[in-house]
Amino acid sequence: QSIIAQARNFGIETVPLANALGRVLAQPVVADRDYPPFDRATMDGYAVQSADFQGYTDVVLHVLERIHAGDTGTRPVTAGTCTKIMTGAPVPPGADAVVRVEDTQAEGDQVQFLAATVRSGQNIARRGEDARENDTLLTGSRLITPQTAAVLAVTGRADVTAARLPTVAIVSTGNEVVSLGNPVLPHQIRDSNAWALRGFFAAHQITDITATLAADDRIALRETVASLLSQKDIVVLSGGVSKGDADYVPEVLQSLGVRQVFHRVRIKPGGPLWFGATAGGKAVFGLPGNPVSVQVACKVFIEPYLRACFGLPPLEPLLLPFWAERTKKTPFDEYFPVERTIQNGQTGVQAVRYNSSGDIAATVRSSGIALQPAATEKLSPGDVVAFLLW
């Protein structure tokens, strides 16, 4: 809640519908006309007057014409007549029902109807039954999915008003960290956190990202962060937030006027998390340097912040049974990587092999993370856990 309280709107912009998938709709969308815009056949068959069938069997009618989708009829249906019609075509004047072709037998321009009963309105989608002109079809602050895109297209929105995406800076700290593509010495590690963070933000369509390294040096770190704070909406640092001799991130951030909202949370992994905000509302996340800590922090802390900024509701975890036993090692909330599995026809989760928050392959083996709350010392088979899909 302390993080969500700092959420802010980044503005709006107009984007082509072709580029809008995964973005957040910023304004409501209303129907530009009735939907369907005309009485529409929902079956291939014959448009008839239902009164021709009241009290009669073996009805034979004369076919006036044929109407395909995209065409309009030229002759109204009257007593004793019908029109052959295809799915999606406008129902001609005078007709109040469509009998499917499977219930008929045609010979030339005469059709025998085998259906026992015909009711008014059958196999017809009435004009405006889905939506009336000016009805609200989509509210603002809604993720643009393929289904949303279809509604935008059918209502003629070639351009979409969407929430503007934030710009992001990623800073990987530590003398031991080297950029991908550079030689790595035995005592060094390649920067994986920047790529995990890039992927996380890209999944939210955020691609205006600057990623850089910063050594464990107060002056160099301060210069790097000061420059990025002046340019970006969100700054995320990994490493340098714990209690080591070279963990300079908290003091550097505060020296730059970033107000500390909190430092440290009672969770594992990711306990040393630092969060703050500038006077202008820019958010700064200081994450622990271990890869699992970074990835957990993205799901548990950064994603709720982004959704709040976009006006989206929080993602509720799935509540699924846990298939094994697990004893907690700390008095904190513990998030641990799990894989979704099915046992006896029921979906649940199973813990994957996980050594520590530095285990670079643990999250690859998993489909998400499960929570063992602080008050739950032991999980037993069948206990329900909160599950967050990666």
Side-chain angles (χ1 to χ4, degrees), residues 137-162:
L137 300 179
L138 299 170
T139 59
S141 298
R142 181 188 181 113
L143 195 66
I144 300 175
T145 64
Q147 294 74 31
T148 313
V151 173
L152 291 165
V154 82
T155 54
R157 269 68 175 186
D159 296 304
V160 180
T161 303

Side-chain angles (χ1 to χ4, degrees), residues 30 340 358:
V30 300
R340 276 189 300 185

Side-chain angles (χ1 to χ4, degrees), residues 1 4 299-300 303-304 307 312-320 335 340 369 371 385-390:
Q1 292 301 319
I4 290 174
K299 288 299 297 183
V300 177
E303 185 168 81
R307 291 183 67 86
L312 296 172
L315 282 177
E316 296 295 333
L318 296 175
L319 300 179
L320 297 176
Y335 289 91
R340 276 189 300 185
I369 49 176
L371 169 63
V385 295
F387 168 70
L388 291 171
L389 190 68
W390 284 129

Side-chain angles (χ1 to χ4, degrees), residues 290-378:
N290 281 329
V292 180
S293 298
V294 167
Q295 293 169 48
V296 167
C298 285
K299 288 299 297 183
V300 177
F301 298 106
I302 303 181
E303 185 168 81
Y305 171 78
L306 290 177
R307 291 183 67 86
C309 289
F310 294 141
L312 296 172
L315 282 177
E316 296 295 333
L318 296 175
L319 300 179
L320 297 176
F322 183 59
W323 296 136
E325 291 187 352
R326 185 179 191 273
T327 300
K328 216 153 48 65
K329 299 177 181 178
T330 73
F332 308 142
D333 286 348
E334 288 189 6
Y335 289 91
F336 58 99
V338 294
E339 182 181 13
R340 276 189 300 185
T341 60
I342 297 175
Q343 292 191 15
N344 299 320
Q346 185 177 11
T347 300
V349 293
Q350 178 117 5
V352 302
R353 182 166 58 83
Y354 173 45
N355 295 319
S356 69
S357 60
D359 188 341
I360 62 169
T363 54
V364 174
R365 293 188 288 265
S366 67
S367 49
I369 49 176
L371 169 63
Q372 185 169 353
T376 304
E377 182 179 352
K378 183 177 181 180

Side-chain angles (χ1 to χ4, degrees), residues 90-280:
V91 176
D96 69 336
V98 172
V99 179
R100 62 180 190 164
V101 71
E102 293 91 339
D103 294 329
T104 65
Q105 194 166 34
E107 187 172 334
D109 287 339
Q110 303 296 311
V111 179
Q112 181 181 6
F113 289 82
L114 310 176
T117 58
V118 175
R119 59 178 176 77
S120 179
Q122 77 177 36
N123 299 325
I124 295 176
R126 292 297 187 187
R127 174 175 177 168
E129 73 175 23
D130 298 335
R132 290 290 185 184
E133 184 177 355
N134 295 321
D135 280 354
T136 299
L137 300 179
L138 299 170
T139 59
S141 298
R142 181 188 181 113
L143 195 66
I144 300 175
T145 64
Q147 294 74 31
T148 313
V151 173
L152 291 165
V154 82
T155 54
R157 269 68 175 186
D159 296 304
V160 180
T161 303
R164 190 180 76 80
L165 298 171
T167 58
V168 174
I170 297 169
V171 184
S172 301
T173 71
N175 295 336
E176 77 280 15
V177 182
V178 298
S179 296
L180 184 64
N182 289 337
V184 58
L185 299 176
H187 61 281
Q188 295 176 319
I189 58 171
R190 297 185 182 90
D191 180 15
S192 65
N193 288 339
W195 292 97
L197 288 162
R198 279 181 181 273
F200 166 78
F201 284 110
H204 293 80
Q205 311 305 311
I206 300 167
T207 56
D208 188 340
I209 298 170
T210 297
T212 188
L213 297 181
D216 290 325
D217 177 273
R218 286 187 181 87
I219 296 175
L221 180 62
R222 192 178 193 282
E223 290 176 352
T224 297
V225 176
S227 174
L228 295 172
L229 278 173
S230 68
Q231 303 171 45
K232 301 295 183 178
D233 297 311
I234 300 171
V235 177
V236 183
L237 301 97
S238 66
V241 292
S242 192
K243 296 182 177 180
D245 291 347
D247 288 338
Y248 302 131
V249 167
E251 65 177 270
V252 165
L253 290 173
Q254 291 182 76
S255 76
L256 292 170
V258 182
R259 177 178 59 87
Q260 176 182 305
V261 176
F262 64 81
H263 185 195
R264 307 192 70 83
V265 286
R266 292 177 61 82
I267 71 166
K268 181 181 176 65
L273 181 82
W274 191 98
F275 175 73
T278 68

Side-chain angles (χ1 to χ4, degrees), residues 20-98:
L21 199 65
R23 300 289 296 271
V24 176
L25 188 66
Q27 292 182 346
V29 172
V30 300
D32 60 322
R33 55 177 179 167
D34 291 343
Y35 288 94
F38 49 82
D39 288 353
R40 175 172 53 84
T42 62
M43 291 276 188
D44 293 335
Y46 293 87
V48 301
Q49 290 190 347
S50 60
D52 279 338
F53 295 82
Q54 305 310 309
Y56 299 97
T57 58
D58 296 327
V59 173
V60 177
L61 301 177
H62 174 71
V63 180
L64 297 172
E65 59 181 341
R66 290 163 176 78
I67 307 176
H68 293 268
D71 295 335
T72 57
T74 60
R75 302 175 65 181
V77 172
T78 57
T81 67
C82 64
T83 293
K84 190 168 188 181
I85 193 166
M86 309 304 162
T87 303
V91 176
D96 69 336
V98 172

